[in-house]
Amino acid sequence: MEIGIRILIVFLVSQVVHIGAQKEGEEGCVPGFQVKEYQVEYNGGFQKDHPLTQVFFDDCAGNEGLAFEVSHPDFQVDEEMNLVARRDVMDSGTVMFIHGVNEQADDMAQVDIVGAPPRSPQTLREILGLGQIQPYRSKRALFAPRMHVNENMEPPFPKVIGTLEVSVTDLSGKLVEGPVALLVDVNDQNDNRPIFKETRYAGEVLEGSPTGTVVMTMTAEDADDPRLQNAVLRYNIVRQSPDKPSPNMFYINPESGNIVTVISPTLLDRETLPTTQYELEIVAQDMKGRDVGLTGTATATITITDKNDHAPEFTHSLFQANVDEGSTGVAVNLTVDDRDDPATGAWRAIYSIINGDPTQNFEIQTNPDNNEGMLSVVKPLDYESVVFHTLLIKVENEDPLVPDVGYGSSSTATVHITVLDVNEGPVFFPDPLQVTKMENIPLGSFVALLNATDPDVLQSQSIRFAVLRDPANWLSVNPVRGTVNTSANLDRESPYVHDNKYTAIFMATDNGSRPASGTGTLVIHLEDYNDNAPYVHPSVVRVCEDTKDSVVIVGGRDRDIHPNAGPFKIELGKQPGLEKTWKVSRVNNTHAQIMLLQSMKRANYQLPLVVTDSGLPPLSNSTEIKVQVCTCKKNRMDCSSAGSVCSNLMMLLALVLLSLFCL
């Protein structure tokens, strides 16, 4: 029996170590008790059917056919996995063992009864619970104490880790079946060093921050057992670079890994520190930081960030510039100094004009490259109005200043702008000049008087006028007086007239040392005169031969406008006999219909018409339209040889007269 149990122990040690290695890397279900140890307080005894604790068992297959046995015969595990007393129990002992078993799992759990007096059983039969009538499977009643083995044991394997001598017989001397279950705990060794997630960490702290300000947190991980000191870490700063103004500007909490400032707020000044970045080497050590512990290292870079603790200051209290009148653009660049960090809101400048620009002729933009203020003229200045401009300029930062810093007198400056006189060109008034004239007025008629003045009122200069653009060459201008007269007939129907308006451009030039000129526009609104006779459209019409009552429509047109155009009167010409063959009747104010009164042979005929407009006095126009008499068959009109039969109405009239004579 002793030899058999030793062999079993060796086997179990190999399996426990192997299972432990699998469980560490797997997340699946492990059959058996999910909690191996339980504690119950002893309060003078236990009442019948009163639950002491609930156990947790999972065979990973539904727990079908699961049965429990308890080492103390007066206790059992009910259907809800509660440990309960079968009767009122006073003598429970200090420890019990629960055995759970089915076809899928076989496992043991321990229940410690805290505060209970030790129990002294009388017989081995009572210990084993033999002879008891139990509703559950009673397979084993022997228990082996836990054994321990260290991880990372060196070969050879297997190794003997303990010895159990057990000999159990029943009342008849028959050997009780075994073996017993043996639990082996693998003891953790400190074989994993702390590891930071990153090799480099970055943090920042605002300059002037109070002592103790948290900058960042450094954390490492240790794969050893977290319940042991093997994984209890302590942090330490082993190097600071640079080490000025103090080698201990920062401190790390050894337990939490929080890095805080130690240097005073006064010395934590970005503008006076030798650098704005400090590098710390951080060491994490397990075993609570003892010398025997393993270490891991990482680097923390801490940047001292800027706050707006310096107001911008102008480099000069007075700036001066000369500006030509009438010009725009940058007049002067305003320069400032700011000790804060460039390209930040604490350094970037905002300029404003606080006095001296009531008409808003100036504006200031910040140059993003050098922080200078570009003072520009946005509305042209007039020398004759104001020669000198004095502006008061203020500069501020985008970010507000810290409470104990303010803007002083150096944050304002004065700018003197001197306007330089420039010979300006004459200015027409009004521009454009608009007049109304009747077309066809006589040559040399007065049209308009140009008015131009010289803005240089402080100089005595004369002005001369000239035609700059006259599309139809209808106008002339007196160079001294500026009077505009016609040099040709004005024609409203000219292609140079648009929407009844004719446009010409004139130039006025002064006699300065460098002459300057200006332009002005003259717009002539032309009134219509009935100077265009009306005409008929279309000029060619077609009718079918051998057909009476053929009708075509013609209309009157006129280049004049109302009231010198329609209504139109359209009638036959004065040749005798036309009314026997043709009839013209009015359709509306602009159109008339022409009807063929008798059949005609295929030919081309010139039909004389007279069209008259409605002007006062009216104009008439004697004209002719070509009438093509064509052969019409099946809705098709053939006029291809119409010209070969007869070419004018004189032959037609002769035929008509001959036929009348014969009658």
Side-chain angles (χ1 to χ4, degrees):
M1 183 69 175
E2 178 181 347
I3 296 175
I5 291 181
R6 284 185 177 180
I7 295 174
L8 172 65
I9 291 172
V10 171
F11 172 76
L12 288 178
V13 168
S14 301
Q15 293 300 312
V16 168
V17 173
H18 177 67
I19 291 173
Q22 284 186 330
K23 183 177 180 182
E24 191 174 49
E26 298 177 355
E27 297 181 357
C29 177
V30 178
F33 281 98
Q34 305 303 300
V35 178
K36 305 290 187 181
E37 297 182 7
Y38 302 85
Q39 286 188 346
V40 175
E41 291 188 3
Y42 179 85
N43 293 318
F46 300 98
Q47 296 180 358
K48 178 183 178 181
D49 296 329
H50 183 76
L52 280 67
T53 185
Q54 187 179 36
V55 298
F56 300 91
F57 189 99
D58 188 1
D59 69 350
C60 305
N63 287 346
E64 184 176 355
L66 176 64
F68 296 93
E69 60 180 351
V70 183
S71 61
H72 194 299
D74 292 332
F75 293 86
Q76 66 178 358
V77 177
D78 62 16
E79 294 180 354
E80 297 179 358
M81 294 191 183
N82 290 318
L83 177 64
V84 298
R86 298 173 181 271
R87 60 181 180 82
D88 292 343
V89 177
M90 301 296 293
D91 184 13
S92 63
T94 59
V95 64
M96 287 186 288
F97 297 91
I98 303 174
H99 180 209
V101 63
N102 66 0
E103 293 183 358
Q104 307 294 332
D106 189 343
D107 201 5
M108 303 284 290
Q110 177 175 323
V111 180
D112 295 324
I113 303 175
V114 181
R119 181 170 180 258
S120 301
Q122 299 298 319
T123 66
L124 180 62
R125 181 184 186 88
E126 185 179 357
I127 295 175
L128 300 177
L130 299 177
Q132 300 291 332
I133 301 176
Q134 300 181 14
Y136 53 91
R137 179 180 176 184
S138 178
K139 183 178 180 182
R140 299 187 182 93
L142 296 179
F143 300 93
R146 289 176 180 265
M147 293 188 180
H148 300 272
V149 60
N150 293 329
E151 70 168 331
N152 300 323
M153 293 179 64
E154 296 182 356
F157 292 104
K159 290 181 179 294
V160 176
I161 62 171
T163 302
L164 182 65
E165 295 180 13
V166 177
S167 177
V168 179
T169 62
D170 59 13
L171 295 178
S172 62
K174 184 179 180 180
L175 184 66
V176 177
E177 67 180 58
V180 298
L182 176 63
L183 300 179
V184 178
D185 291 331
V186 179
N187 298 327
D188 181 49
Q189 285 189 330
N190 190 20
D191 56 347
N192 292 280
R193 65 179 59 254
I195 298 177
F196 288 92
K197 292 183 178 180
E198 306 288 342
T199 57
R200 268 187 187 278
Y201 292 80
E204 58 184 34
V205 61
L206 189 66
E207 66 170 330
S209 295
T211 301
T213 299
V214 177
V215 180
M216 59 193 300
T217 300
M218 302 285 290
T219 55
E221 295 180 350
D222 194 309
D224 290 318
D225 190 344
R227 298 171 299 179
L228 304 177
Q229 293 187 6
N230 295 343
V232 179
L233 306 183
R234 293 294 183 264
Y235 300 94
N236 186 33
I237 300 175
V238 297
R239 181 181 60 85
Q240 172 191 304
S241 178
D243 58 359
K244 305 296 183 183
S246 167
N248 299 307
M249 295 176 60
F250 304 95
Y251 166 79
I252 187 168
N253 186 299
E255 296 185 7
S256 66
N258 290 338
I259 299 178
V260 299
T261 59
V262 178
I263 189 172
S264 68
T266 304
L267 295 178
L268 192 62
D269 184 359
R270 180 185 175 92
E271 288 73 37
T272 60
L273 290 173
T275 181
T276 59
Q277 282 191 339
Y278 286 84
E279 187 174 274
L280 306 179
E281 184 177 346
I282 310 297
V283 171
Q285 189 169 26
D286 58 20
M287 299 298 292
K288 288 189 175 181
R290 297 202 301 269
D291 292 341
V292 295
L294 302 178
T295 61
T297 305
T299 301
T301 300
I302 299 177
T303 301
I304 313 301
T305 58
D306 188 38
K307 67 179 180 179
N308 197 9
D309 55 352
H310 296 90
E313 298 179 344
F314 282 101
T315 58
H316 305 284
S317 60
L318 175 65
F319 295 86
Q320 301 185 56
N322 297 327
V323 176
D324 290 337
E325 68 170 328
S327 66
T328 58
V330 177
V332 62
N333 290 313
L334 309 176
T335 54
V336 295
D337 285 331
D338 196 316
R339 297 173 60 193
D340 291 311
D341 185 19
T344 66
W347 176 80
R348 288 190 291 268
I350 299 177
Y351 298 86
S352 58
I353 303 172
I354 59 178
N355 195 14
D357 187 24
T359 56
Q360 298 181 344
N361 290 88
F362 303 90
E363 73 174 15
I364 305 179
Q365 299 288 337
T366 302
N367 187 324
D369 297 327
N370 53 25
N371 220 26
E372 292 181 355
M374 300 180 293
L375 177 63
S376 301
V377 179
V378 294
K379 294 181 181 179
L381 304 176
D382 184 13
Y383 172 84
E384 286 72 27
S385 299
V386 179
V387 177
F388 300 103
H389 294 264
T390 300
L391 308 177
L392 186 60
I393 311 297
K394 181 180 181 180
V395 62
E396 299 174 299
N397 287 133
E398 286 185 3
D399 293 346
L401 294 172
V402 296
D404 55 342
V405 177
Y407 294 101
S409 59
S410 296
S411 296
T412 58
T414 302
V415 180
H416 286 168
I417 302 293
T418 301
V419 182
L420 304 178
D421 188 25
V422 174
N423 187 24
E424 302 170 87
V427 178
F428 283 83
F429 181 83
D431 189 25
L433 173 62
Q434 304 199 40
V435 298
T436 301
K437 296 295 177 181
M438 177 70 71
E439 67 171 333
N440 263 352
I441 59 176
L443 295 180
S445 297
F446 172 79
V447 176
L449 175 62
L450 302 178
N451 181 24
T453 58
D454 194 329
D456 301 304
V457 295
L458 301 181
Q459 303 179 26
S460 178
Q461 298 182 148
S462 61
I463 297 175
R464 295 183 66 84
F465 298 93
V467 177
L468 184 62
R469 184 173 181 272
D470 180 14
N473 294 320
W474 288 344
L475 306 173
S476 63
V477 62
N478 186 292
V480 178
R481 296 192 299 271
T483 55
V484 179
N485 295 80
T486 61
S487 57
N489 290 328
L490 305 181
D491 183 9
R492 192 198 65 82
E493 292 75 33
S494 167
Y496 298 107
V497 176
H498 303 283
D499 194 22
N500 301 323
K501 292 181 289 188
Y502 179 74
T503 302
I505 300 177
F506 295 85
M507 181 172 62
T509 306
D510 62 23
N511 63 342
S513 58
R514 295 184 61 182
S517 60
T519 60
T521 301
L522 172 64
V523 178
I524 304 175
H525 295 260
L526 293 173
E527 295 181 339
D528 187 41
Y529 178 78
N530 195 14
D531 55 351
N532 291 278
Y535 59 95
V536 175
H537 182 81
S539 60
V540 178
V541 297
R542 294 177 175 181
V543 297
C544 295
E545 67 175 341
D546 300 329
T547 302
K548 294 183 180 181
D549 301 330
S550 292
V551 176
V552 295
I553 302 296
V554 296
R557 293 188 178 181
D558 198 317
R559 296 178 63 195
D560 293 317
I561 60 176
H562 181 78
N564 296 320
F568 299 105
K569 181 180 179 181
I570 303 174
E571 52 190 349
L572 289 172
K574 302 304 181 182
Q575 290 89 341
L578 287 177
E579 67 278 2
K580 301 294 185 179
T581 308
W582 308 93
K583 179 181 179 181
V584 177
S585 57
R586 183 174 180 271
V587 176
N588 53 32
N589 287 341
T590 58
H591 290 75
Q593 71 176 10
I594 300 175
M595 181 181 296
L596 181 62
L597 298 180
Q598 56 182 281
S599 299
M600 302 284 290
K601 296 298 182 180
R602 186 169 63 179
N604 289 338
Y605 302 92
Q606 297 297 123
L607 177 63
L609 296 175
V610 176
V611 57
T612 306
D613 63 23
S614 297
L616 293 175
L619 287 180
S620 295
N621 183 20
S622 295
T623 184
E624 291 181 342
I625 64 171
K626 179 188 289 186
V627 180
Q628 291 183 314
V629 179
C630 308
T631 300
C632 300
K633 293 181 180 180
K634 295 182 181 181
N635 298 326
R636 295 184 61 186
M637 181 176 285
D638 183 8
C639 305
S640 60
S641 59
S644 64
V645 179
C646 188
S647 61
N648 55 57
L649 286 178
M650 296 304 296
M651 184 175 290
L652 175 61
L653 291 175
L655 292 174
V656 172
L657 292 176
L658 180 60
S659 63
L660 290 176
F661 179 77
C662 293
L663 292 176

